């Protein structure tokens, strides 16, 4: 199985300041069709996961442009340009290039 | 509006069985692969099973293979997970999710989840 590793585990952030989460995979996520199926999800407290980013850098409909994804191969990053109160929750990276689908352990973003 | 609504969770004894359902609306159910994921209390997300959108392919995590069976009825826009030989470690919130890829790549919409508790 592809192991997904996230850092940091916990990320206290001041409102209005930037935040960055890293995600690494144990093998390349480039699929045979040329796409890299690396996704980012946010799970707010008491809610189900919501997809924010797909294929490394594509924002889902309704996701604010303060969220951006980047990376390639095995190294990926999610950035929030200016953290808002509604961004609190646990962020998960997830790979969909190899079966079984696997998730990072999560990064808990909280406001200082 | 895309909606996925799970049901069927509850308290069951070890070794018991349970049938989960997930009804989709707001989209053409047959065009999407469908997944089950789970999240144990206070833990992260875990893949459980997939039913493809064509060809009827099914996939299972090693931890549930041989005990769980995934199925779907596109005429009812419903996904199922028949869970058997349940263990305490199967205790979790179970989520269904749709995937625009034929088999799997990127689940985009998730349901609200249904809690399964395996305990004597």
């Amino acid at each position: 199985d592809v192991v997904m590793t996230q850092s940091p585990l916990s990320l206290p952030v001041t409102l209005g300041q930037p935040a960055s989460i890293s995600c690494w995979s144990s093998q390349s996520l480039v699929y045979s069709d040329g796409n890299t199926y690396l996704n980012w999800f946010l799970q707010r407290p008491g809610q189900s996961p919501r997809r924010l980013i797909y294929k490394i850098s594509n924002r889902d409909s309704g996701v604010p442009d303060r969220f951006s994804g980047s990376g390639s191969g095995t190294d990926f990053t999610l950035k929030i340009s200016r953290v808002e109160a509604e961004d609190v929750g646990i962020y998960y990276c997830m790979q969909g290039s190899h079966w079984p689908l696997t998730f990072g352990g999560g990064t808990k973003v909280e406001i200082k | 509006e895309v909606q996925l609504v799970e049901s069927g969770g509850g308290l069951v004894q070890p070794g018991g069985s349970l049938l989960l359902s997930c009804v989709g609306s707001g989209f053409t159910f047959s065009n999407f692969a469908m997944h089950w994921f789970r999240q144990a209390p206070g833990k992260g997300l875990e893949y459980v099973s997939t039913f493809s959108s064509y060809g009827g392919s099914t996939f299972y995590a090693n931890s549930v293979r041989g005990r769980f069976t995934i199925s779907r009825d596109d005429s009812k826009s419903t996904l199922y997970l028949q869970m058997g030989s349940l263990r305490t470690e199967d205790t979790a919130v179970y989520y269904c999710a749709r995937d625009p890829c034929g088999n799997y790549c990127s689940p985009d919409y998730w349901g609200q989840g249904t809690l399964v508790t395996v305990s004597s």
Side-chain angles (χ1 to χ4, degrees):
Chain A
D1 297 2
V2 176
V3 177
M4 303 297 290
T5 305
Q6 283 182 239
S7 179
L9 197 64
S10 177
L11 185 55
V13 187
T14 301
L15 287 173
Q17 292 302 301
S20 180
I21 300 170
S22 297
C23 174
W24 299 271
S25 57
S26 60
Q27 62 188 82
S28 174
L29 299 186
V30 179
Y31 189 59
S32 55
D33 64 3
N35 289 308
T36 300
Y37 295 106
L38 187 282
N39 312 284
W40 290 96
F41 294 87
L42 166 60
Q43 187 173 32
R44 294 187 174 110
Q47 296 187 14
S48 56
R50 174 196 180 189
R51 196 181 71 178
L52 302 176
I53 302 281
Y54 61 97
K55 288 195 290 186
I56 302 178
S57 60
N58 296 274
R59 272 191 308 275
D60 272 282
S61 175
V63 174
D65 61 7
R66 63 179 181 274
F67 289 92
S68 63
S70 63
S72 64
T74 60
D75 291 0
F76 306 95
T77 303
L78 176 70
K79 292 184 178 178
I80 310 173
S81 59
R82 296 172 305 279
V83 172
E84 297 189 7
E86 66 178 16
D87 301 337
V88 164
I90 301 177
Y91 290 78
Y92 295 95
C93 60
M94 189 218 88
Q95 68 82 19
S97 296
H98 304 281
W99 184 89
L101 308 180
T102 48
F103 295 86
T107 295
K108 186 174 185 178
V109 171
E110 55 187 8
I111 304 301
K112 282 183 183 176
Chain B
E1 179 193 5
V2 174
Q3 282 197 323
L4 293 166
V5 179
E6 302 95 335
S7 61
L11 175 63
V12 61
Q13 292 188 338
S17 300
L18 211 55
L19 175 65
L20 305 184
S21 300
C22 165
V23 178
S25 61
F27 65 101
T28 302
F29 192 82
S30 60
N31 287 351
F32 291 82
M34 295 296 298
H35 304 292
W36 287 102
F37 297 96
R38 67 185 181 184
Q39 187 171 36
K43 302 297 184 182
L45 297 165
E46 180 188 13
Y47 168 80
V48 174
S49 184
T50 299
F51 202 113
S52 69
S53 60
Y54 58 86
S57 296
T58 58
F59 305 85
Y60 297 94
N62 290 336
S63 58
V64 306
R65 186 177 293 112
R67 301 188 298 122
F68 292 7
T69 301
I70 191 172
S71 61
R72 63 190 292 166
D73 185 339
D74 290 343
S75 69
K76 296 181 179 178
S77 297
T78 302
L79 177 73
Y80 302 99
L81 187 67
Q82 178 68 55
M83 309 166 69
S85 302
L86 283 162
R87 306 166 180 168
T88 55
E89 56 264 37
D90 295 318
T91 294
V93 174
Y94 284 74
Y95 297 101
C96 68
R98 75 170 200 178
D99 196 317
C101 292
N103 286 326
Y104 52 83
C105 72
S106 183
D108 56 0
Y109 284 90
W110 296 53
Q112 85 290 346
T114 186
L115 176 62
V116 173
T117 303
V118 184
S119 174
S120 54

